[in-house]
Amino acid sequence: VLKERELIRRIRKMAGAHQRQRRAWEGHPVVAGIGDDCAILEMTAGHEALVTTDFSLEGVHFRREWLPAREIGRRCLLRGLSDIAAMGGEPLAAFLSLALPRSVEQRWLDGFLVGLLKLAQRYGVALAGGDVAQSPGAVLADIVVVGQAPKGKALRRSGARVGDGIYVTGALGRSASELKAFRGRGRPRHVSLAEPRVEQGQKLRGVASACIDVSDGLSTDLRHICEESGVGAVVEAEAVPVAQGATLQDALHGGDDYELLFTSAKPVPEKAAGVTITLIGEIVRGRKLELVDVAGKRKPFEEKGWEHFRR
Ligand SMILES: [Mg+2]
């Protein structure tokens, strides 16, 4: 059983140890992190702050039986980094609020933090604060990530226009196909490591007219772009890049892939920072989302995103 003060000391020590490994830590925008009432971040001149918050709730977003603690910690931060990536931003600092039930052992917490901090380090992000509490039941984690983008240049969901191409980075459906495997076997044999498309998002500034990360599934996230932009969309099922081992249905509706879904009227490069970009459809007039299936038949592109999909 971990006491609150002990817990904070432990997190601070682990965060500090990871951060010191970064040689270029001097000049980082986190002026003060854990240890004061607030963190102090120095934003670059001419930039705007981006702030995102994401829950990772045991039983809702993850199961302790299915994933190692490290992967749960990693995914907790991944969700926040992916949101910054979707805006074309540069992540700067993360804040973690964590509620743990009494039954959680120190070993589990250490694994969770190692997974989270390794990913943070990889993307130059400091764990700059947070909160801890005891949970009556499940593990509850809330991550806040602060980033920045040049003023007026952040990618929004509302910029899609009629005639824009619809594009996606990488391939879709991997997480959904793995989830089915967990259900079948009870334990994953192999867990793929999705990466936040941070570099790719930054490369899309000035190219993408609208952008979102695929966290809830293509059919749901494309709807978000269409709703915010006041447009419709037609997607070619045959063009959608399906991840190895996944089905087309996984790719169309499965969540947690963290690829970027964007629209553009401009010439789009074949790759962004080493990741393939695929044209999957077109923005059209109206509000309807349609799917041209593999037989060439047009039908409504129904929403079977994460919420619906996992039931
Ligand atoms: Mg998002």
Side-chain angles (χ1 to χ4, degrees):
V1 178
L2 293 162
K3 294 244 167 54
E4 184 175 318
R5 219 189 308 163
E6 175 69 23
L7 202 61
I8 294 171
R9 203 178 313 140
R10 193 154 187 87
I11 293 172
R12 187 177 182 178
K13 201 173 136 208
M14 288 181 74
H18 272 261
Q19 283 162 20
R20 272 197 299 277
Q21 286 170 16
R22 250 181 71 95
R23 272 201 206 112
W25 203 250
E26 293 84 26
H28 192 275
V30 175
V31 178
I34 302 171
D36 279 284
D37 288 302
C38 289
I40 305 173
L41 309 185
E42 189 179 355
M43 315 304 283
T44 308
H47 284 59
E48 290 169 323
L50 306 175
V51 184
T52 177
T53 169
D54 273 286
F55 266 135
S56 291
L57 308 179
E58 184 177 7
V60 179
H61 301 101
F62 68 88
R63 287 179 194 273
R64 263 188 283 164
E65 318 84 85
W66 285 356
L67 288 177
R70 271 181 186 232
E71 182 54 16
I72 294 168
R74 201 188 108 86
R75 286 188 185 197
C76 175
L77 179 61
L78 171 65
R79 293 160 67 81
L81 292 181
S82 180
D83 282 335
I84 299 289
M87 303 287 289
E90 172 199 359
L92 304 175
F95 302 83
L96 173 70
S97 292
L98 193 58
L100 298 171
R102 282 173 166 276
S103 59
V104 165
E105 285 166 13
Q106 182 146 320
R107 221 172 52 138
W108 189 92
L109 175 70
D110 287 353
F112 177 92
L113 290 171
V114 165
L116 189 148
L117 291 166
K118 271 196 155 178
L119 187 69
Q121 191 188 7
R122 195 175 155 115
Y123 288 90
V125 170
L127 181 61
D131 198 8
V132 290
Q134 201 178 85
S135 162
V139 174
L140 311 171
D142 184 34
I143 192 94
V144 173
V145 179
V146 176
Q148 65 179 10
K151 197 169 165 41
K153 299 282 191 250
L155 304 174
R156 313 278 301 269
R157 295 178 180 180
S158 52
R161 297 292 173 260
V162 174
D164 286 2
I166 303 169
Y167 300 85
V168 69
T169 62
L172 300 174
R174 183 167 292 125
S175 280
S177 76
E178 281 174 0
L179 183 66
K180 284 190 292 192
F182 295 170
R183 290 217 159 119
R185 276 196 306 268
R187 267 232 164 233
R189 210 181 293 157
H190 163 81
V191 180
S192 65
L193 300 175
E195 287 287 330
R197 299 303 193 192
V198 172
E199 240 184 291
Q200 290 76 16
Q202 290 171 16
K203 291 247 158 48
L204 292 176
R205 288 199 308 247
V207 175
S209 52
C211 188
I212 191 171
D213 62 317
V214 183
S215 54
D216 294 331
L218 177 62
S219 57
T220 299
D221 291 317
L222 180 58
R223 194 161 260 99
H224 292 317
I225 284 187
C226 288
E227 275 168 10
E228 293 300 320
S229 301
V231 294
V234 179
V235 169
E236 302 276 341
E238 212 147 51
V240 174
V242 180
Q244 213 186 341
T247 65
L248 178 62
Q249 290 304 305
D250 295 334
L252 292 177
H253 306 294
D256 283 347
D257 284 321
Y258 303 105
E259 295 295 347
L260 298 181
L261 172 68
F262 67 96
T263 59
S264 179
K266 295 182 182 171
V268 168
E270 273 173 37
K271 285 185 174 194
V275 176
T276 310
I277 294 174
T278 310
L279 175 66
I280 61 164
E282 193 185 342
I283 294 295
V284 296
R285 223 173 285 282
R287 291 298 179 99
K288 276 191 275 186
L289 271 73
E290 291 187 310
L291 184 72
V292 179
D293 68 17
V294 282
K297 219 178 115 210
R298 241 188 216 229
K299 55 181 192 184
F301 189 10
E302 277 165 23
E303 188 175 7
K304 292 182 201 156
W306 208 217
E307 283 305 315
H308 178 100
F309 192 73
R310 65 169 164 225
R311 264 179 219 131

